[in-house]
Amino acid sequence: MGASRSDEYSRLAALVAATRETSGDLFGKAMVDWLRQHVSFDHCVVFGYRGASRPPLLFETFSPAESHVFVALYQEGPYLLDPFHHAAVERKEGFWRMRELAPDRFYASEYFRSYYSQTRLAEEVGFFVPLPGKDALVLSLMRLRASGPFGTADARLLRDMAPAVISFIRLRWPTLPIDEPAEARQDQPIAAVNEFDRAHIWKSLSLTPREKHVVDLVLQGHSTESIARAMRIVPGTVKVHRRNIYRKLKIKSQAGLFARFVEIIDARIR
């Protein structure tokens, strides 16, 4: 920020050159360099998304300790409840703030308390890039609590920059790389499931299709009213579904539901 015009052109030229990179972090570092001329942020990470499959990491700026939370733990299962993941597989494009995508009870959800709060983020924003087929890519910019959230002017500038950022990203990654180990690619059939329906995650539970849909929405952070709107049913019916789910799973709270989610994910990755 505050750099001279020659610095701006120099960094932009470096970014353009880096789009021809086929390996390494040169492009990510050039993108971070260029974006930081305009807006301050603490971290940048790029994930690819293939339906419900484990998202490949394409670039990160984290220390090893930070990477454990932001990448390793995230890839083990929490990504399935991430609003950015849901928006990516639903083919959103452009610049979005987490607050624009998160369900109405996201910040009070068990997922937020159990995982997302560990990130110590004040705000996360992202550039969403649909790719051929059902693949997508998200470049996230993060500000820690010590830095505070992005300002209105920052968000407006990043939104204006989105077409250029997305074009550069598509030049660097026209498709997602196939670099996951063979055992990870065994999850590919899961990605073929309709991206709007993640109830298949709960196939091991003795729930009806509607109850599985309710479970998925509850864990994402939707309120009863939001679930009713999404499923086009009345709130009272949602409450009946939730009571039946809790009875069948022998749990008493959303914390118990999240614990069951963690068990299922642990079983999938073992």
Side-chain angles (χ1 to χ4, degrees):
M1 300 194 302
S4 69
R5 182 154 298 193
S6 62
D7 285 341
E8 164 77 8
Y9 290 156
S10 176
R11 285 176 170 80
L12 196 52
L15 178 56
V16 172
T19 60
R20 297 189 288 272
E21 175 203 20
T22 56
S23 64
D25 291 339
L26 182 62
F27 174 81
K29 291 174 180 175
M31 176 64 78
V32 166
D33 222 17
W34 181 55
L35 290 173
R36 277 198 170 129
Q37 276 194 298
H38 304 280
V39 174
S40 65
F41 53 90
D42 295 305
H43 290 302
C44 175
V45 64
V46 182
F47 279 110
Y49 291 102
R50 294 186 171 114
S53 293
R54 180 178 179 274
L57 172 71
L58 304 179
F59 175 75
E60 63 171 323
T61 60
F62 306 117
S63 69
E66 291 165 332
S67 186
H68 175 71
V69 173
F70 284 97
V71 178
L73 289 182
Y74 179 76
Q75 289 177 318
E76 287 180 6
Y79 71 88
L80 290 164
L81 303 179
D82 181 10
F84 274 24
H85 167 257
H86 287 253
V89 299
E90 289 168 3
R91 313 292 289 167
K92 284 193 182 295
E93 182 170 347
F95 173 83
W96 295 85
R97 305 178 80 165
M98 177 66 79
R99 66 183 69 171
E100 297 170 330
L101 300 173
D104 57 350
R105 295 286 293 165
F106 174 75
Y107 295 100
S109 68
E110 193 62 32
Y111 163 74
F112 182 84
R113 289 194 294 268
S114 299
Y115 169 72
Y116 201 85
S117 61
Q118 295 182 60
T119 64
R120 298 180 293 110
L121 290 180
E123 188 175 9
E124 181 177 3
V125 300
F127 296 96
F128 289 72
V129 188
L131 297 175
K134 294 183 178 180
D135 291 351
L137 183 153
V138 179
L139 184 151
S140 295
L141 301 181
M142 302 170 173
R143 295 194 68 181
L144 298 172
R145 290 173 193 160
S147 303
F150 290 90
T152 301
D154 289 340
R156 186 182 303 116
L157 177 56
L158 290 170
R159 204 177 301 276
D160 289 343
M161 295 173 70
V165 172
I166 290 169
S167 294
F168 285 133
I169 289 172
R170 284 195 173 121
L171 286 172
R172 171 62 184 89
W173 290 293
T175 59
L176 287 188
I178 306 297
D179 58 0
E180 289 291 281
E183 59 266 28
R185 290 202 298 271
Q186 290 173 1
D187 285 343
Q188 278 305 107
I190 294 175
V193 176
N194 186 322
E195 62 267 29
F196 296 101
D197 178 16
R198 283 164 289 269
H200 63 280
I201 298 164
W202 307 101
K203 63 184 179 182
S204 62
L205 305 180
S206 57
L207 303 176
T208 68
R210 284 216 150 188
E211 288 169 348
K212 292 174 184 176
H213 195 182
V214 169
V215 166
D216 192 45
L217 292 172
V218 167
L219 285 171
Q220 289 176 46
H222 288 271
S223 66
T224 295
E225 292 73 20
S226 179
I227 294 171
R229 287 193 297 272
M231 297 182 66
R232 298 182 180 178
I233 56 180
V234 298
T237 302
V238 176
K239 292 177 182 177
V240 170
H241 283 315
R242 290 184 72 155
R243 283 198 297 270
N244 289 338
I245 290 163
Y246 285 13
R247 175 178 54 79
K248 288 181 178 182
L249 301 185
K250 297 181 174 59
I251 58 177
K252 296 181 179 180
S253 66
Q254 189 184 135
L257 192 59
F258 186 80
R260 185 61 61 89
F261 165 78
V262 172
E263 289 174 8
I264 291 171
I265 295 304
D266 283 346
R268 283 182 59 189
I269 63 178
R270 275 201 296 267

